[in-house]
Structure formats: structure tokens, C-alpha cells
Amino acid sequence: MTGEPRHDGPPGTTETTGTTETAGAAGTAGTARPGRTPRTVGIVWALLILNTLGSAGAKTVVPLPRSLIQMVTMGALVAAFTLALAVNLRLRIRPSAFMLLLTLLLVPSVISSLQLESGLGALFRCARLGLFVGTLWLLTRWWGDGPAFVRHHIRMYFAVLGSVVAGAAVSPGAAMPELYGGRLVGALWPLTPPQIGQYAAVITGLTVLLVLGRRTDRLSAVVIIVPSLVLLALTHTRTATLGLLIGLTLAIGSLVLTSAAARRLFTWAVLGAVVAAVGFASALREWFLRGQSQENFTSLTGRAKVWDALLSQDRSTLKELFGVGLGDKSFGGLPIDNSWLAVYHEQGLTGLTLVAAAIAVLGGVALLRPPSLPRACAIFLISYCAIASYTEAGLGDASPYLLHLTVAAALLTVPADAPHPAPATPRRQIPRWSRDRRYS
């Protein structure tokens, strides 16, 4: 759905979404062909996404016990690790500063969780994070084929959004309950409006960039983009909307100097934004306010009060450095809804430094790469996660945000079999007297 084979390369080769493979190359199940990612990797990625869907959310049409949901999500993570290990039995991994920082994040997580201030669940969450990071390490072997991870990312999240649409068709009342102010939720699987908005925004942005780079046909793009934008609008998720707009602006801007299509799209987008700002200012303001008062909007729906209380709490030196242990990203029974404060609360200043360093590494590498479609997709994902981190938690634990950043890392990885320029062959200098004698 997100890639069409192209045959404009050398004879005997088939190019698909940026990877070139020899036609008819021998390969066995579970073994990567040259330049191609095995299908098992796509299954592993789908299982990782299933694990990060969460177990808390809106009431579903058929009540699902939280224990059952947790069993499914944890079973998906165990299955993902097992499959990743099976397809990479020789434990071939690629060095990655980003993955190294994620691995080091386990240190403050374990140290703080051993205090058991957050209960035994903190140690369980540490084990989950360790298994999650271990699975990502096993997949680094195929990071050179970054576009393949983009396809897996789009397909799985599009399937998740399909379940949201199915739930709305089965029970519109359950899909847009008054408890959430009439915003769209998951009626078959407990998904909150911010989750749905995040998934819709991410796959919309990636698909737009694939169309811009001519890596997918327009019909497939319309099938993905139009329903995703409708769902995003129904969720009334401001963070996801801003993340999509700003992330796409930065990503397309990175292609402006090298792509005529990017320049055209950027120009039309600016004109459209100006027209929308002038002609629909009141409607846009009403949509962003979501019926809230100006005071409630300014305090970010009460988030600021939780943040102030968290920052004003007295902490010992140990808690200041390593936090209180992995928890449910809440403080005083209320959600923190800020990745940086959640990391500070649970993993301390040490965890905060590691997470900031991981994002800084990805951003720095993206800036150093030459303009290209993979770089633009990576910039979009990094930008989106940075913007969403202000009102959403998840950067310090197994979450969709870590998966978004992992896709960005895969896109920024140079393929191991990338051709290197052949060294220039020194010209043999022939003495003038020899040339004169030769042609005399």
C-alpha cells in the first residue's frame, strides 16, 4: 500500500522504496536477502506496536478486563523478542549511540525501582523496558533499510485506526462518549483521543512525504491520508495537530533546495495556511478551545497544576538523581502528561539527561545528513516527538514515541552494503622523451 515497485534502474534489478535487490536472488524464510528486510521483521514491529497500545482508556463495546489486555500486550512483547531472536540467531547488531543511550536508561530505572516506592510493578515495568530495548537491538541489523520500517509503521497504525472506525460503526455512542467531551475514542480496544490523534498524525505525515518522494501512488496515499485526517479532526487533539503541521513544515523545508515538488507543496501549504488563518480564524479558535474557558485552556486543561505540584515536592538526593521508579506516569493520582517531567519524576536527572541526549543525537545526525526523503521522514518523526513530549508522556518507557524515534534512527542509518566511491586510479606518467620517441 505504501510502495510501488519501480523498474527504472539497471537491467536485472528491481527497486522498491529506495532499496535495490538483485532479481531472483536466493533467499530462505527468516534470512534477509541482500538489500531486503525479512517479513518476520514486519511481524515483530507489529507486535511491538501492539504492546505499546496500552491497557487503560475508554470503555469498550465489549468490556475487556484490564488483566486480559495486559496479558495480550505483554504476550505480544515476548513474542516479538522471540521472533526477533529467531531471525537474528547470530546476534548481529549495528552500533548505535541512540540505542546505547536507551540501554543506559535502564540503569536509573532499575536503581530507582529497587526502592519499591512505586511497588513491585516498577520492577515489572523495568523488565518490560529491558525486553523492549533488547528487541530493538536485535532489529538494528536491518536499520539500513529504513523505508521498510516506515512501511511497517504506516500499515500497523492504519490497521489500528481501522479498528477505531469499526468501533464507531458498531457503536457511535461508545466511540464518542460524553466522558471525553464527544471526542473520538476506541470502542473495540481502549484507546484515548490523544492516542488516536497521534497515530493518525504520524501516518499522515509519513504518507505525505512518501508521495512527495514518489515512493507511493496517489490512490494509496488518499486511502490513508483522508480517513486519518478525519479521525484526527474527530479526536480534537491539539498536540497531534500541531505536531503534524510543524513536523511536516520542517520535513518539507529540508527538501526545498533539492526537490521542485517540495517547493511547490511548501508554497501551496503556506498560501493555504494564510487563507485558513484569515477566513476561518473563528472556527479554528473554537476547534482548539474545545469548549473550554480561556483559563482552562491557558492551564493546559489542568496539567500546569500537576506540574507545579510535582516540581515543588521535596526530594532526597537519591530521588533527585534516579527518581522514584517506573510507574504509571502519574503524580498524586493525576496524569503528568509531560514526557520530561515524567522522566524526571520516575528516573531522575540521570534519566532526563539520557533521554535528552538520545533526541539530541538523532537531531544532530539528521542535520548532518544530505537532503533526502529518509532524512525528511526522520526530521518529521523527531520533530513530532519533541513537540508531543510537552503534553504527552512516554519518552522514558516502552511507548509509541520510542518506536517513532527508532524509525527515525533506522532512516538515518547508512546501509551496510552502500557502495563506496572507488579510489581514483593514478595516471601513469610517461616521460616526454618517451612519448616523442614512441610516435616518431
Side-chain angles (χ1 to χ4, degrees):
M1 180 175 292
T2 59
E4 289 290 328
R6 292 163 51 191
H7 302 281
D8 53 357
T13 64
T14 301
E15 186 180 356
T16 305
T17 62
T19 58
T20 305
E21 57 180 336
T22 304
T28 57
T31 304
R33 300 180 185 179
R36 182 171 182 175
T37 302
R39 292 182 179 180
T40 308
V41 172
I43 299 175
V44 172
W45 199 256
L47 291 171
L48 287 176
I49 290 178
L50 177 59
N51 172 255
T52 59
L53 291 183
S55 58
K59 294 182 179 180
T60 55
V61 176
V62 178
L64 299 174
R66 187 174 181 181
S67 58
L68 175 62
I69 298 175
Q70 290 176 334
M71 187 182 303
V72 171
T73 55
M74 280 306 301
L77 179 57
V78 173
F81 179 80
T82 304
L83 286 177
L85 187 60
V87 78
N88 192 6
L89 282 175
R90 296 185 179 181
L91 301 181
R92 294 179 178 176
I93 60 176
R94 300 194 62 165
S96 168
F98 170 74
M99 287 303 306
L100 176 61
L101 290 168
L102 287 189
T103 306
L104 292 177
L105 189 61
L106 287 168
V107 176
S109 303
V110 172
I111 292 176
S112 57
S113 297
L114 285 174
Q115 303 175 49
L116 298 181
E117 182 169 331
S118 299
L120 291 175
L123 295 177
F124 175 80
R125 292 184 179 93
C126 284
R128 179 196 177 207
L129 180 59
L131 203 59
F132 188 86
V133 173
T135 306
L136 295 181
W137 267 118
L138 292 172
L139 297 182
T140 57
R141 175 182 177 183
W142 295 279
W143 273 16
D145 188 11
F149 287 89
V150 173
R151 295 195 300 271
H152 299 324
H153 214 55
I154 293 175
R155 288 168 181 168
M156 183 57 186
Y157 279 126
F158 188 70
V160 174
L161 294 181
S163 71
V164 175
V165 174
V170 171
S171 178
M176 304 184 74
E178 289 297 329
L179 179 63
Y180 285 90
R183 301 168 65 190
L184 183 66
V185 300
L188 298 182
W189 186 274
L191 298 174
T192 61
Q195 283 181 282
I196 299 172
Q198 175 196 161
Y199 307 153
V202 167
I203 68 172
T204 296
L206 290 176
T207 306
V208 168
L209 293 174
L210 289 182
V211 173
L212 197 61
R214 298 181 180 180
R215 299 293 177 86
T216 186
D217 61 276
R218 295 184 179 180
L219 178 60
S220 298
V222 169
V223 170
I224 294 175
I225 294 174
V226 173
S228 298
L229 288 178
V230 172
L231 296 181
L232 177 59
L234 291 176
T235 61
H236 278 217
T237 308
R238 295 172 295 214
T239 301
T241 304
L242 289 175
L244 171 62
L245 296 177
I246 298 175
L248 270 182
T249 300
L250 295 175
I252 296 173
S254 70
L255 296 172
V256 164
L257 296 178
T258 58
S259 171
R263 289 192 292 270
R264 289 194 299 269
L265 180 58
F266 190 83
T267 302
W268 282 108
V270 171
L271 292 175
V274 172
V275 172
V278 174
F280 305 96
S282 59
L284 291 174
R285 182 176 182 276
E286 183 179 352
W287 186 87
F288 267 89
L289 285 177
R290 293 196 312 232
Q292 298 174 341
S293 64
Q294 189 67 35
E295 180 182 358
N296 199 14
F297 177 75
T298 305
S299 65
L300 297 174
T301 321
R303 291 185 178 95
K305 298 178 180 179
V306 180
W307 300 347
D308 292 340
L310 188 152
L311 291 174
S312 62
Q313 184 189 39
D314 292 331
R315 295 170 179 266
S316 63
T317 303
L318 183 62
K319 291 181 180 178
E320 188 77 13
L321 291 175
F322 301 109
V324 300
L326 292 183
D328 58 358
K329 312 299 177 286
S330 66
F331 178 79
L334 297 174
I336 297 175
D337 285 341
N338 181 289
S339 285
W340 305 104
L341 292 179
V343 172
Y344 168 70
H345 178 60
E346 296 185 353
Q347 291 142 308
L349 292 175
T350 306
L352 199 62
T353 303
L354 292 172
V355 171
I359 295 181
V361 165
L362 290 179
V365 173
L367 291 176
L368 294 175
R369 289 282 185 267
S372 64
L373 179 62
R375 175 180 181 249
C377 292
I379 289 175
F380 168 74
L381 291 171
I382 297 168
S383 304
Y384 182 90
C385 291
I387 294 167
S389 66
Y390 185 66
T391 57
E392 296 290 335
L395 286 181
D397 206 345
S399 69
Y401 293 105
L402 287 191
L403 292 181
H404 300 334
L405 293 176
T406 301
V407 173
L411 288 165
L412 295 172
T413 300
V414 179
D417 55 351
H420 298 282
T425 304
R427 292 185 59 185
R428 182 181 178 185
Q429 298 294 332
I430 302 176
R432 183 181 295 275
W433 64 267
S434 179
R435 294 200 302 268
D436 294 343
R437 178 178 300 178
R438 182 179 178 183
Y439 293 106
S440 61

